[in-house]
Amino acid sequence: MARVPLIAGNWKMNMTVAEGVTLVKELMPRVDGLGKVEVAVCPPATALHAVGRALADSQIALGAQDVFWAASGAFTGMLSPPMLIDVGCTYAIVGHSERRGRFGKPDESLSPEAAQVFGDTDASVNLKAKAALGYGLSPIVCVGETLPEREDGRTDEVVAGQVRSCLAGLSAEQVAGLALAYEPVWAIGTGRACEAPEANRVCGIIRSVVRDAYGAAAADSVRVQYGGSVSEKNAHDLISQPEIDGGLVGGASLDATKFSQIAQVASVIAKDMRYA
Ligand code: 13P
């Protein structure tokens, strides 16, 4: 099996330009040269250009936290795939639960009217994934259930439905080349990661949905990451699971020591185990 794990850091709304550049300068010597792992950082839009330049001679890839589907036009505040490629991005996260307005820790100050700013749906995520692929950006498509959905026993149905809808209309080759991130909403930013065997089970369901819709070759190639309170402490347990091809890391990606340790763990697992 030839899947190389992907460790991507989602910096979310953190880091000035100077802080971001300092962080990747600390990361590069710790991560460059690791075999059998791909590492990416996804800074906020304001830092993409500078961080991209700092990464020029590095193996660390640059990703955006979101992307719009049109190439240009009257879309105030949006960033198109060609704009992201222009500053050096090769990845774009799409459909993160926070962009869908699905939060693990409800924010009482966010009224329903204000929450509309986080308006992504499976349909918009599908447009974004298609556009990203059309321009040569690799999407990291996020899916995951909320706590009420899990408690209602609807995890598998919710996640499978998101995968089908978000990937609708893509070719098997396109699906083979993208990454899906299973991020249970209740595990994000809570310090309460999903238990590794359960994360592995849901990632396996995601892969089986891909197999049913796009065939065995796409299912064997597509990378299914886990995200939600990944740390340097639980990384080995999670990433050594057979269905989990790396992590989408939030908080721990803001710390060069922790993030590079997660990348090192993934590299060792990939060398030792199923990727040999
Ligand atoms: P945390 O690692 O901070 O839980 O965030 C996960 C996440 O949402 C990554 O996209």
Side-chain angles (χ1 to χ4, degrees), residues 94-103 115 117-126 141-144 162-163 165-166 185:
V94 295
H96 192 282
S97 55
E98 288 153 13
R99 300 242 32 105
R100 297 172 185 251
R102 289 158 63 85
F103 294 95
V117 72
F118 302 105
D120 257 328
T121 61
D122 287 347
S124 67
V125 176
N126 179 239
V141 181
C142 301
V143 297
Q162 288 173 335
V163 173
S165 303
C166 293
V185 178

Side-chain angles (χ1 to χ4, degrees), residues 170-185:
L170 298 183
S171 69
E173 290 70 28
Q174 286 177 318
V175 172
L178 56 74
L180 286 154
Y182 169 52
E183 295 211 320
V185 178

Side-chain angles (χ1 to χ4, degrees), residues 209-239:
V209 172
V210 169
R211 184 172 294 109
D212 289 347
Y214 300 95
D220 285 344
S221 297
V222 71
R223 287 182 291 188
V224 184
Q225 301 171 286
Y226 168 79
S229 298
V230 175
S231 72
E232 72 289 3
K233 298 194 178 76
N234 60 24
H236 186 275
D237 258 11
L238 287 160
I239 300 168

Side-chain angles (χ1 to χ4, degrees), residues 57-174:
D57 297 319
S58 165
Q59 289 169 22
I60 301 176
L62 187 69
Q65 297 178 13
D66 193 15
V67 61
F68 193 60
W69 54 83
S72 62
F75 301 105
T76 302
M78 297 304 187
L79 296 171
S80 70
M83 288 170 168
L84 297 177
I85 289 168
D86 189 37
V87 293
C89 290
T90 52
Y91 285 99
I93 298 171
V94 295
H96 192 282
S97 55
E98 288 153 13
R99 300 242 32 105
R100 297 172 185 251
R102 289 158 63 85
F103 294 95
K105 286 187 291 190
D107 178 349
E108 305 299 337
S109 69
L110 202 59
S111 67
E113 292 75 22
Q116 287 179 29
V117 72
F118 302 105
D120 257 328
T121 61
D122 287 347
S124 67
V125 176
N126 179 239
L127 287 172
K128 290 175 175 188
K130 272 187 194 148
L133 285 160
Y135 286 98
L137 269 179
S138 262
I140 298 174
V141 181
C142 301
V143 297
E145 81 289 357
T146 61
L147 190 58
E149 288 166 347
R150 171 162 286 266
E151 287 173 348
D152 283 354
R154 296 182 51 225
T155 297
D156 299 6
E157 164 204 339
V158 166
V159 170
Q162 288 173 335
V163 173
R164 281 189 209 100
S165 303
C166 293
L167 303 187
L170 298 183
S171 69
E173 290 70 28
Q174 286 177 318

